[in-house]
Amino acid sequence: MGLIKIFSGEEILAVSLKEKLEEADINVVIRNNNQANVLPSIQTAKAVELFIQEIDYGKAHPVIEEFRLSI
């Protein structure tokens, strides 16, 4: 089994969803490719992505849907 992407968007929303999933005992991997600190002259804010294990999707789906309906 591998990781599946469940969210891609603004960091504040990603952190909120991550916290909700972790409350449900689901491990979350967060990937932030924003390199603004490396190259401060380039303002290219990239989306933050959240990943979970495929086997956790059934448990995570209700949490994800509730989150999406709330935004």
Side-chain angles (χ1 to χ4, degrees):
M1 295 287 171
L3 294 174
I4 57 170
K5 182 170 33 171
I6 56 160
F7 179 82
S8 179
E10 295 179 19
E11 185 173 8
I12 194 163
L13 294 175
V15 170
S16 178
L17 178 56
K18 179 180 180 282
E19 289 172 356
K20 290 180 185 303
L21 290 165
E22 287 176 344
E23 286 173 6
D25 287 330
I26 300 166
N27 292 324
V28 180
V29 175
I30 189 165
R31 182 171 152 192
N32 183 349
N33 288 328
N34 189 351
Q35 295 186 1
N37 293 333
V38 177
L39 301 169
S41 63
I42 300 174
Q43 296 297 323
T44 58
K46 300 214 180 198
V48 175
E49 299 172 327
L50 296 181
F51 297 85
I52 61 171
Q53 291 290 329
E54 285 182 71
I55 58 173
D56 290 333
Y57 185 76
K59 188 170 149 183
H61 182 71
V63 177
I64 296 166
E65 286 304 308
E66 180 182 330
F67 175 78
R68 288 186 185 188
L69 291 174
S70 72
I71 56 173

